[in-house]
């Protein structure tokens, strides 16, 4: 049985790599014409369950109600002193920054802070790994939203060789301990991972390269990531295996449709937190087709 299982896993991995190579073979990021075959496959890539994107009118109507609820939530925690931390992780171009921008659009920036750190300085490299993130944790009544977080070590640093194997192993052991300390101290911790399919990632990279207003979003690391999709998948699955805990669980949001992803990130927080004036009918429940945890969401499809 063990040999059979191993063979099946190996076959799946080979099939994924073959598909990855096939997509890249028809893709040139510098060519302004995006391949039709990849465009046609983009929305459904990675097993995305919806055939069409959410219509703009539906998105706007739902977003308004959710943003009103977010304003209520912010007002409530200012009174109770509760602290909220939301981490947004995911593949390059998954939409982390835009999810956060819609989240905070109508919140008071004095108590809802976006944290998007650059690479560590020489001084920070000599500190405890988590130290520079601690400085950005919220005070009573505040919330912090991290556009990437300490999980850089389990993702880009791991794949691109910016950390040693020992540093990576130490991180996977210590991250649950660190997060346990935060939660036991009263912080409400939400860990979101935005997942997109291979073809969708190529489409978004291409858009960034050729849209003059988005070119700042694409970097040399992004270009290198195009040929490392499966490496990032393996790193992601290892990260989930070690850091998805009862105390600090991960929530995966399938994000091929950015509108749905933005709504579900906001909805997931509002659904989980009780606050004065909460309107459960407006919030609804997270969409189980694209939001969840466990093998269905943790394994790359």
């Amino acid at each position: 049985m063990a040999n059979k299982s191993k063979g099946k896993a190996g076959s799946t991995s080979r099939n994924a790599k073959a598909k990855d190579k096939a997509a890249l073979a028809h893709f040139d990021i510098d060519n302004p014409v995006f391949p039709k075959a990849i465009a046609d496959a983009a929305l459904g890539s990675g097993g995305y369950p919806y055939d069409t994107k959410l219509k703009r009118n539906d998105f706007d109507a739902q977003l308004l109600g959710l943003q009103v609820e977010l304003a209520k939530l912010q007002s409530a925690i200012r009174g109770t002193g509760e602290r909220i931390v939301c981490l947004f992780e995911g593949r390059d171009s998954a939409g982390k920054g835009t999810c956060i921008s819609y989240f905070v659009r109508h919140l008071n920036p004095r108590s809802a802070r976006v944290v998007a750190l650059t690479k560590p300085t020489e001084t920070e490299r000599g500190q405890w790994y988590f130290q520079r993130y601690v400085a950005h944790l919220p005070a009573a009544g505040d919330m912090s939203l991290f556009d990437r977080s300490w999980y850089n070590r389990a993702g880009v640093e791991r794949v691109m060789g910016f950390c040693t194997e020992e540093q990576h192993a130490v991180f996977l052991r210590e991250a649950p301990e660190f997060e346990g300390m935060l939660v036991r101290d009263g912080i409400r911790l939400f860990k979101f991972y935005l997942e997109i399919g291979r073809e969708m990632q190529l489409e978004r990279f291409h858009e960034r390269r050729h849209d003059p207003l988005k070119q700042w979003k694409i970097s040399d690391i992004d270009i290198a990531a195009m040929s490392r999709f499966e490496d990032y998948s393996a790193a992601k699955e290892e990260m989930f295996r070690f850091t998805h805990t009862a105390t600090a669980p991960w929530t995966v949001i399938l994000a091929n449709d950015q509108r749905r992803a933005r709504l579900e990130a906001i909805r997931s927080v509002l659904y989980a937190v009780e606050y004065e004036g909460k309107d459960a009918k407006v919030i609804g429940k997270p969409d189980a087709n694209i939001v969840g945890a466990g093998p269905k969401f943790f394994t790359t499809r």
Side-chain angles (χ1 to χ4, degrees), residues 134-147:
V134 171
H136 298 279
L137 294 174
D142 293 351
M143 61 178 73
S144 296
L145 296 94
F146 286 81
D147 185 349

Side-chain angles (χ1 to χ4, degrees), residues 103-115:
F103 196 109
V104 301
R105 178 166 292 183
H106 297 293
L107 298 182
N108 185 339
R110 292 189 178 89
S111 57
R113 300 180 180 88
V114 178
V115 183

